[in-house]
Amino acid sequence: MSIKFYAKHVYLLLAMCLASSMIYAQTTVTGTVTSSEDSEALGGVTVVVKNTQIGAFTGEDGSFTLNVPDPNATLLFRYVGYQDQEIALSGRTTLNVTMQSDFALDEVVVVGYGTVRKSDATGAVTGLKEDDFNVGVITAPEQLLQGRAAGVQISQNGGEPGAGSTIRIRGVGSVRSNNDPLYVIDGVPLSGSASTPDASNFSGIDAAEAKNPLNFLNPSDIESIDILKDASATAIYGARGANGVVIITTKKGQAGKGALSYGTFVSVSNVLNQLDVLSADEFRAAQRDVQTFFNTDADPNNDITDDQLAARDFGANTNWQDEIFRTALSHQHNLAFSGGSNSTTYRASLSVLDQEGVVINSGIRRYTGRINTTHKAINDRLKVQMNFTTSHVQDDRAPIGSTGGFEGDIIINALRLNPTMPVRNPDGTLFQPQDNENRNPVAFSALTSDEVTTLRFLGNLSAEFEIVEGLKAKVNYGLDNARSDRAYNASPNRFDQTGNGGRSVIANRVLASELLESFLTYDVYQGDHGLNLLAGYSFQSFNERSSLIDRTNFATDEITGTNAIGLSSDEGTAPSSSAQENELQSFFGRVNYSYQGRYLLTATFRRDGSTRFGENNKYGNFPSFAGAWKISEESFMQNVKALSGLKLRAGWGLTGNQEIPNKLSLESVGVLVDNNGNNTGNAILNGNTFNSGLGLNRVPNPDLKWEQTRQINVGLDFEFLDGRINASVDYFDRVTTDFLLEIKAPDPAPTTNVFTNVDGEIINRGFEFAITSVNVDKNDFRWMTDFNFTTISNTVEGLPVTRINTGRASGQGLSGTLVQIITNDEPIGTFFGREWTGFDENGVSTFADADGDGTADQVVLGNPIPDFTWGINNTFTYKQFDLSFFINGVQGNEIYNNTANSVFTRVGLATTRNTSPDAANSAESFGNALSFSSRFIEDGSFIRLNNATLGYTFDASNVEWLSNLRLYVTGTNLLLFTDYSGFDPEVNTDANENNVPSIGIDYSNYPSARTFLFGANINFN
């Protein structure tokens, strides 16, 4: 029996009245129920004699048998996703009923270890099907959801192909641990670790943005994505459910003739906008202003002669942004074949994506293969499923860093480099400024190679056996293995490398996890009562290995260094490697109870044991409770015709967050060295002191445990006009405690700091609202609208330390500056610093000094967390045409424009660097000091026309070999309305300090692109 069949039973309520209890003659009625859309049998339909408790369910073949007391009775047919039907028997004993599809969406949502009809869900769950997904050049699953789900904020970390995303479900809940949700693909929970090696680009560039760990999955293989948001839904995942759970279900085969489908697109992308900088002529004029300024100041040593001024003009007229940005061409091909019999179904797919980045020498190539099979045996009592994905991803990375030093990367240099400098010398060679502080970004990119190759396999094999009717046992084995290799080469012809003969780095990372789960489910329905029971055990292990070889000074540049690392004569940097593992053992259970289909209760419990925590807290308990009342099923609501559905939900639960580095509860021992690198002194280990050259870096903490999140959710679901309007509103109160911090160890202590759980609360409270409506449904024309709205308030309370600093500023003169704090009574990531009040008569920055003590005040400057987010999608169909457009927005957040702080000041002109016209024409002194302040805190609110699609589906009824052909054109990132002065306000540069996350910082961000896509979907008979 199918999962869908069992999901239908949760909704139903029956009291089976047997013939022996009747005092009058009865009539036996038989029949079948099918769907009007595809004529397939509908199993699990409720068939009830109207105004009685006499009823039955249809079987999987759609058939039913029912004893009725009156041959002229009326039968009521009810099935989720379909319109109720009432049919008078009028003496008939056989009925063939066709049910019409309702307007209600997402009839079944996936929850942990099972499914549930949305109308029977007690928790806060958002389910999205393929028709709901975003359209465009999609490289990772979360891009399908961006702006589509209430309570879920998704921001791209940059516009680079395959870039990572920041995903926050109902706010930010941790000051140290991972804030990302748990991903579960076809029943396999993924590791939260990055799958690619360290992305540092070296040569003055710090770590680049991490790549997306979900890039291996082809979005075209995804059937649905379900988001578990509140604790009553996520507690089944215990210590990993605090930040929400995203469950991805891939497409499966259907019984019937083999079906072949092919999808393809080609796209053209350009940078959405360029930043305004001085042209070459404007730069020359500004340099004359610089000369006048320094030649009239009091210090003659600052004078600039005419010859020196002329030396700053190289004679070219270069727009450096034009030189590094390009028109990017991309294409994708998806081929899938599916089919099967009543006992065995299959689906196999192949996919190729080749996406160019809008920055030169960047892009991604992905090859993905997937096969899903299902086999039933022993009279369908045994069901075996296999899901396998393998992928090969090649990332070409441009030398761009999320943080960096004075040299700058190609984005920073394209903005600040002297526009009179040429791209190439007269002989055709690349021009390179003869200093390390300014780089020709074209030369820097051309003479740098950074390739990351990732091979990944994800698969699981499960077997489910029905022991007796309603009782099933299931075993699931999953394996996730990723190997990533990085080859970085800096040519010795690069000016900053000429002294050391180039540089080559070989790095690799291997991640592997194994999952073994077994659980029992039992479904029983008796009269007014329905019961679903789940009990199981899970064990998952995670292993990680990495190594790195870093070499310079190669004997020749004719052979790439990473292909012949032995050609290096550098012996100064020793190779490094590491290996670590952790394990998670869990026991879990869930009870779903329904009474008369109106009153629903859910109780969940999970007990998790993790090797990441101390001996005294190896196991944690995570319970949850939720209930729902279908008010619309009550008799007093039957006369309210406009309101066809009304359900009240409430839930409470505890979840955990164990996404911290391994071994923090254990002591750490390292080599003791002096300033010259010589081994010294004694070690302290297990309380003993001895001369070994080792020393204690971290004291053990046997009480270390996971962060804990308590969440309360109250929701109301509405349905109007027989499902044409569906809406829900939720209030949530989410509080995280016991958060992990590295604090100063209490004296006396052998080490300075210690990791521990500290008191305090991180509070996220807010409202979610979502509505789906069928506005028009007339003949050949239909108009549907989806809208979601979320508001979140984030506050920290009870923190035992004054504040925690994070958010590293980057750029010359800003090194070591931390711009964000975590402190009591403020949101996480609050910007903190001096309030800029303008320039004095000398062009020097002035700052607020409210108490008049002569020192500028340090005050709160802004909040990076939005007041609210929203999204609206409209879909129109007219005959064979379809048109949809999606708009989303963010309101009330601030961004620190670190790029502007580093580049767009008048100060840079004095050192022959470019800047913006606004800065060049300001009253700022050329000698003003660079510093962080409210001057560079900007409003990050925006409204975006995210995508629009126009399609046409051809009538293929006369083509024997063709069942469907659709052509479409899509535009993504079409319009952006914002006051933010950077490339894009949807940005989140990783500027963490000591692994305390930063939020809302923009530095050298890879710009977003506007894309036009032309595609076709073809289904063959």
Side-chain angles (χ1 to χ4, degrees):
M1 294 183 178
S2 68
I3 292 177
K4 182 178 179 182
F5 175 75
Y6 290 110
K8 308 306 174 188
H9 285 64
V10 181
Y11 175 88
L12 309 172
L13 90 99
L14 294 170
M16 307 301 291
C17 299
L18 303 177
S20 59
S21 64
M22 302 301 178
I23 61 174
Y24 41 79
Q26 295 186 348
T27 301
T28 300
V29 178
T30 61
T32 59
V33 181
T34 57
S35 168
S36 63
E37 293 187 340
D38 51 20
S39 300
E40 288 191 357
L42 295 178
V45 177
T46 307
V47 186
V48 179
V49 179
K50 189 176 180 180
N51 298 323
T52 75
Q53 295 294 311
I54 303 170
F57 295 113
T58 61
E60 265 200 303
D61 60 357
S63 64
F64 70 92
T65 300
L66 184 65
N67 292 321
V68 301
D70 182 356
N72 295 313
T74 296
L75 300 187
L76 173 63
F77 294 81
R78 179 170 289 172
Y79 190 62
V80 67
Y82 290 78
Q83 300 177 23
D84 292 353
Q85 283 200 47
E86 294 185 9
I87 300 177
L89 287 175
S90 301
R92 291 175 292 177
T93 59
T94 302
L95 290 178
N96 292 316
V97 180
T98 300
M99 298 193 72
Q100 302 293 323
S101 176
D102 203 346
F103 294 111
L105 301 178
D106 303 326
E107 64 177 64
V108 174
V109 292
V110 180
V111 294
Y113 306 99
T115 59
V116 64
R117 293 189 316 172
K118 189 172 183 179
S119 61
D120 288 340
T122 57
V125 181
T126 296
L128 298 173
K129 308 300 183 187
E130 187 175 14
D131 290 342
D132 305 316
F133 295 158
N134 289 323
V135 181
V137 184
I138 304 294
T139 57
E142 73 275 5
Q143 297 171 17
L144 300 170
L145 309 176
Q146 193 165 10
R148 297 279 185 166
V152 182
Q153 184 185 3
I154 301 175
S155 301
Q156 292 293 109
N157 292 344
E160 182 182 15
S165 298
T166 298
I167 304 170
R168 298 294 177 258
I169 298 178
R170 294 187 164 181
V172 181
S174 177
V175 300
R176 178 62 170 73
S177 303
N178 192 331
N179 279 283
D180 291 336
L182 171 68
Y183 290 95
V184 180
I185 300 179
D186 287 332
V188 180
L190 301 186
S191 166
S193 300
S195 59
T196 55
D198 177 27
S200 296
N201 280 318
F202 310 107
S203 303
I205 302 173
D206 202 349
E209 291 293 346
K211 300 294 284 189
N212 196 309
L214 299 178
N215 284 344
F216 74 97
L217 194 62
N218 174 22
S220 297
D221 284 333
I222 297 175
E223 179 179 86
S224 66
I225 301 178
D226 296 275
I227 306 166
L228 314 185
K229 296 184 288 188
D230 72 335
S232 67
T234 62
I236 195 68
Y237 289 104
R240 291 188 285 176
N243 297 316
V245 180
V246 177
I247 300 178
I248 299 172
T249 303
T250 59
K251 296 176 181 177
K252 308 295 190 296
Q254 302 293 327
K257 180 183 176 181
L260 179 67
S261 64
Y262 172 68
T264 185
F265 69 72
V266 61
S267 69
V268 179
S269 302
N270 293 98
V271 172
L272 182 62
N273 63 67
Q274 291 190 12
L275 301 188
D276 192 13
V277 296
L278 298 179
S279 67
D281 287 339
E282 291 171 332
F283 180 81
R284 293 182 178 100
Q287 286 301 308
R288 288 192 290 272
D289 292 339
V290 172
Q291 182 188 38
T292 300
F293 173 82
F294 283 107
N295 287 358
T296 57
D297 69 3
D299 188 353
N301 295 322
N302 293 332
D303 287 356
I304 299 174
T305 67
D306 289 342
D307 289 342
Q308 290 172 329
L309 180 65
R312 298 185 176 195
D313 186 351
F314 291 80
N317 292 277
T318 305
N319 183 325
W320 288 109
Q321 292 180 80
D322 282 346
E323 296 298 330
I324 67 165
F325 298 147
R326 64 180 176 181
T327 297
L329 301 177
S330 305
H331 59 93
Q332 180 168 297
H333 307 273
N334 299 307
L335 187 66
F337 186 72
S338 63
S341 62
N342 290 331
S343 60
T344 302
T345 59
Y346 59 87
R347 183 181 186 274
S349 66
L350 294 172
S351 174
V352 178
L353 170 67
D354 189 343
Q355 181 185 1
E356 287 186 342
V358 292
V359 175
I360 57 176
N361 300 324
S362 66
I364 184 174
R365 289 175 296 281
R366 180 184 65 206
Y367 307 89
T368 304
R370 184 169 184 86
I371 184 168
N372 294 347
T373 64
T374 301
H375 178 70
K376 297 178 181 179
I378 314 177
N379 296 322
D380 292 346
R381 298 177 75 89
L382 174 66
K383 181 167 70 174
V384 179
Q385 287 187 312
M386 293 184 293
N387 306 292
F388 298 133
T389 294
T390 184
S391 68
H392 176 281
V393 180
Q394 177 77 50
D395 288 300
D396 295 324
R397 308 209 65 177
I400 299 173
S402 59
T403 57
F406 64 90
E407 302 99 330
D409 60 16
I410 65 171
I411 297 289
I412 295 298
N413 277 284
L415 297 175
R416 75 183 186 188
L417 193 62
N418 184 336
T420 71
M421 289 181 175
V423 178
R424 294 183 178 275
N425 296 308
D427 61 0
T429 60
L430 289 164
F431 171 83
Q432 295 191 69
Q434 299 302 294
D435 64 78
N436 278 331
E437 295 189 12
N438 296 286
R439 293 166 168 169
N440 174 349
V442 177
F444 191 47
S445 178
L447 299 175
T448 303
S449 172
D450 191 2
E451 295 182 353
V452 181
T453 301
T454 304
L455 300 174
R456 189 159 187 173
F457 171 84
L458 173 68
N460 69 301
L461 172 65
S462 66
E464 182 181 75
F465 185 75
E466 186 175 23
I467 302 170
V468 296
E469 185 175 358
L471 178 63
K472 296 180 181 179
K474 185 172 183 177
V475 177
N476 181 33
Y477 173 76
L479 179 64
D480 183 13
N481 190 287
R483 178 185 177 90
S484 190
D485 296 286
R486 181 178 182 223
Y488 173 91
N489 291 281
S491 169
N493 295 322
R494 230 173 64 184
F495 178 76
D496 62 301
Q497 295 292 320
T498 54
N500 60 13
R503 185 174 191 176
S504 295
V505 179
I506 298 174
N508 70 71
R509 174 175 291 176
V510 178
L511 298 177
S513 73
E514 283 189 90
L515 170 74
L516 181 62
E517 292 179 326
S518 59
F519 52 92
L520 294 170
T521 58
Y522 183 55
D523 295 277
V524 59
Y525 302 93
Q526 184 65 44
D528 290 338
H529 307 279
L531 192 64
N532 168 267
L533 303 175
L534 166 73
Y537 169 81
S538 176
F539 177 83
Q540 191 165 10
S541 63
F542 305 90
N543 294 273
E544 178 180 337
R545 301 192 308 275
S546 63
S547 63
L548 184 142
I549 303 174
D550 183 358
R551 286 290 182 266
T552 60
N553 198 17
F554 286 85
T556 177
D557 61 355
E558 299 298 322
I559 300 176
T560 302
T562 52
N563 294 333
I565 204 76
L567 293 178
S568 168
S569 61
D570 170 31
E571 299 295 337
T573 305
S576 62
S577 62
S578 67
Q580 51 185 308
E581 63 180 352
N582 67 286
E583 297 174 344
L584 192 67
Q585 179 175 252
S586 309
F587 305 88
F588 55 88
R590 180 173 58 214
V591 177
N592 288 318
Y593 171 75
S594 68
Y595 177 70
Q596 292 187 346
R598 287 178 289 195
Y599 313 107
L600 310 170
L601 294 174
T602 300
T604 302
F605 180 81
R606 183 162 179 137
R607 180 171 172 81
D608 277 328
S610 173
T611 57
R612 284 180 167 171
F613 294 95
E615 287 298 326
N616 298 337
N617 284 303
K618 283 298 181 186
Y619 283 86
N621 300 319
F622 304 97
S624 74
F625 304 94
W629 175 26
K630 294 184 181 179
I631 305 172
S632 57
E633 298 291 324
E634 299 292 349
S635 57
F636 60 81
M637 293 291 294
Q638 299 310 303
N639 293 326
V640 184
K641 300 300 183 183
L643 188 63
S644 50
L646 179 63
K647 182 176 70 173
L648 176 65
R649 295 176 282 105
W652 171 93
L654 295 177
T655 50
N657 186 357
Q658 65 123 33
E659 295 303 321
I660 62 170
N662 295 321
K663 309 174 186 177
L664 291 186
S665 68
L666 304 177
E667 60 192 0
S668 173
V669 178
V671 176
L672 297 171
V673 295
D674 60 21
N675 292 333
N676 297 318
N678 299 316
N679 192 311
T680 66
N682 299 323
I684 304 174
L685 185 61
N686 294 329
N688 298 314
T689 302
F690 54 95
N691 190 348
S692 68
L694 297 177
L696 191 64
N697 294 330
R698 183 176 62 235
V699 295
N701 182 358
D703 295 320
L704 198 68
K705 62 181 181 179
W706 31 66
E707 296 177 348
Q708 182 170 274
T709 298
R710 182 270 299 160
Q711 189 170 174
I712 297 172
N713 189 91
V714 179
L716 199 61
D717 300 331
F718 305 87
E719 183 181 292
F720 300 94
L721 304 177
D722 294 324
R724 289 189 59 161
I725 300 176
N726 287 269
S728 64
V729 59
D730 284 81
Y731 168 76
F732 60 89
D733 185 309
R734 178 187 176 206
V735 180
T736 300
T737 58
D738 296 326
F739 40 84
L740 287 156
L741 281 178
E742 185 179 17
I743 65 174
K744 187 178 185 304
D747 294 326
T751 61
T752 303
N753 297 329
V754 61
F755 278 94
T756 187
N757 298 92
V758 300
D759 294 331
E761 295 181 337
I762 303 170
I763 302 170
N764 288 279
R765 295 190 177 106
F767 288 91
E768 299 171 356
F769 176 73
I771 184 170
T772 296
S773 64
V774 180
N775 308 314
V776 179
D777 190 41
K778 298 289 187 181
N779 298 325
D780 295 326
F781 179 69
R782 198 182 203 209
W783 171 26
M784 294 182 61
T785 299
D786 298 288
F787 175 76
N788 70 81
F789 178 90
T790 304
T791 177
I792 296 178
S793 171
N794 177 280
T795 309
V796 176
E797 295 182 0
L799 191 70
V801 296
T802 303
R803 59 176 178 255
I804 304 166
N805 295 288
T806 189
R808 285 175 291 137
S810 294
Q812 194 165 13
L814 296 169
S815 300
T817 301
L818 299 177
V819 303
Q820 290 183 308
I821 62 170
I822 300 173
T823 191
N824 288 321
D825 303 320
E826 297 290 344
I828 284 182
T830 292
F831 294 114
F832 188 76
R834 295 179 295 177
E835 183 180 352
W836 184 71
T837 56
F839 302 113
D840 64 16
E841 64 277 7
N842 297 316
V844 176
S845 292
T846 60
F847 306 96
D849 180 14
D851 56 13
D853 65 355
T855 301
D857 301 325
Q858 297 282 324
V859 297
V860 169
L861 302 179
N863 174 13
I865 299 176
D867 294 331
F868 61 86
T869 60
W870 58 274
I872 184 170
N873 185 70
N874 283 278
T875 302
F876 304 87
T877 57
Y878 176 69
K879 294 185 177 180
Q880 290 158 270
F881 288 94
D882 61 88
L883 171 68
S884 66
F885 60 90
F886 174 57
I887 302 172
N888 70 303
V890 169
Q891 182 67 40
N893 64 304
E894 277 78 40
I895 297 172
Y896 168 44
N897 193 338
N898 192 176
T899 300
N901 197 171
S902 175
V903 178
F904 295 150
T905 67
R906 210 172 182 218
V907 180
L909 289 170
T911 57
T912 70
R913 289 179 175 175
N914 207 357
T915 190
S916 66
D918 286 344
N921 296 320
S922 71
E924 184 176 17
S925 167
F926 292 111
N928 190 33
L930 287 177
S931 61
F932 165 71
S933 70
S934 63
R935 178 184 175 187
F936 301 101
I937 301 295
E938 300 185 35
D939 182 7
S941 305
F942 69 86
I943 298 174
R944 188 192 307 273
L945 177 55
N946 199 299
N947 62 64
T949 297
L950 175 65
Y952 182 82
T953 302
F954 289 86
D955 183 0
S957 59
N958 296 323
V959 183
E960 182 179 355
W961 51 270
L962 187 66
S963 63
N964 179 270
L965 170 61
R966 178 175 180 266
L967 302 180
Y968 63 96
V969 57
T970 294
T972 61
N973 205 10
L974 294 173
L975 296 172
L976 176 64
F977 303 95
T978 183
D979 291 332
Y980 182 62
S981 65
F983 284 120
D984 198 312
E986 198 165 26
V987 62
N988 189 41
T989 298
D990 182 7
N992 78 83
E993 174 69 10
N994 194 27
N995 291 318
V996 176
S998 62
I999 310 172
I1001 294 177
D1002 179 3
Y1003 179 75
S1004 185
N1005 193 254
Y1006 193 116
S1008 59
R1010 177 185 289 116
T1011 300
F1012 294 95
L1013 179 150
F1014 306 89
N1017 293 320
I1018 309 171
N1019 296 316
F1020 301 91
N1021 287 322

